[in-house]
Amino acid sequence: PLHNAAWNGHPEATLCLIKHKASLEEKQKDGSNALHIATENSHVEVIQHLINAGADIHARDHAGYIPLH
């Protein structure tokens, strides 16, 4: 669900999921997490919520990219 909120740019849903302890570091098959997805789609408010909640800005996907490259 957090990946979907990040992909679609839903800041309210992102906050709700964070509040209910959604994993910030859960990865998809390509190794990307919600922060990778939000940055790829330029969802600034979602990015801010994820970072404020403690998402790892240095997490690497399988290609070696970090979310804020």
Side-chain angles (χ1 to χ4, degrees):
L2 188 56
H3 290 126
N4 290 334
W7 178 264
N8 292 302
H10 295 298
E12 297 83 12
T14 300
L15 280 176
C16 181
L17 290 163
I18 290 169
K19 179 181 175 186
H20 288 93
K21 307 296 184 199
S23 173
L24 299 174
E25 303 309 324
E26 181 180 348
K27 297 192 177 213
Q28 295 188 312
K29 291 179 183 178
D30 66 355
S32 63
N33 62 23
L35 186 55
H36 284 98
I37 295 166
T39 57
E40 287 175 15
N41 293 289
S42 303
H43 296 308
V44 176
E45 197 171 352
V46 173
I47 294 166
Q48 290 171 332
H49 291 323
L50 292 168
I51 291 172
N52 290 341
D56 183 3
I57 62 170
H58 301 290
R60 294 193 179 271
D61 64 14
H62 294 319
Y65 293 108
I66 60 173
L68 306 177
H69 61 275

